[in-house]
Amino acid sequence: MIDLDGVVADTRHRVHHVERKPKNWEAFFCAARQDPLLPEGAAVAHQLASDHTIVYLTGRPERWRSDTEAWLTEVGLPSGPVYMRGNSDHRPARMVKLGVLRKLVTKAPVAVVVDDDPQVVHAVRSAGFTVLHADWMTEQPALFEAQEVDGAT
């Protein structure tokens, strides 16, 4: 299971949309189609795809599915289902992702979770999942606040 923002997608060019109040979520997500691919994350995704089924799990709202799936195809990442936050789900990312993982593990084992959010990493690891902490992109306090405090991404 691979996260998108901060793992394979470089969000630094669009974080300014959520650094101020009010946060401009529409602009933030609209700009995701221009995200550069993070080479480290792409390498992990391709390596895992050689002997695992890839599943993407993102805190992005469902309404951005078509843009998200188009971006994944355009940048050449391995194909796989994409699980997204419900449009009206404002829980912290760690709760959303752990809930999805708990449902998925009833259908098939989850070999590894790749995520950059320290709160998600801690929650998922504490629940017994193997985690690769994607620490190759610098921390983004505004995005962390949005994911864990606002529950908005």
Side-chain angles (χ1 to χ4, degrees), residues 24-135:
N24 188 343
W25 290 110
E26 290 302 307
F28 178 78
F29 288 116
C30 190
R33 282 295 295 269
Q34 285 75 47
D35 285 354
L37 181 65
L38 288 166
E40 300 90 343
V44 167
H46 286 290
Q47 177 65 38
L48 288 173
S50 69
D51 57 359
H52 294 84
T53 301
I54 297 297
V55 175
Y56 297 99
L57 175 57
T58 180
R60 295 179 186 184
E62 181 67 39
R63 69 182 174 275
W64 295 99
R65 175 172 294 281
S66 62
D67 281 358
T68 299
E69 290 177 342
W71 182 85
L72 287 166
T73 300
E74 288 166 9
V75 298
L77 285 168
S79 63
V82 178
Y83 291 86
M84 303 181 80
R85 174 192 299 272
N87 288 328
S88 60
D89 187 345
H90 299 293
R91 294 174 296 153
R94 67 185 180 278
M95 294 174 68
V96 172
K97 291 181 178 184
L98 192 53
V100 171
L101 282 166
R102 286 184 171 145
K103 287 179 186 174
L104 290 178
V105 78
T106 65
K107 299 175 185 173
V110 174
V112 65
V113 176
V114 185
D115 205 293
D116 66 319
D117 181 332
Q119 296 291 328
V120 171
V121 168
H122 176 73
V124 170
R125 192 173 277 147
S126 294
F129 292 95
T130 300
V131 179
L132 171 59
H133 187 180
D135 60 0

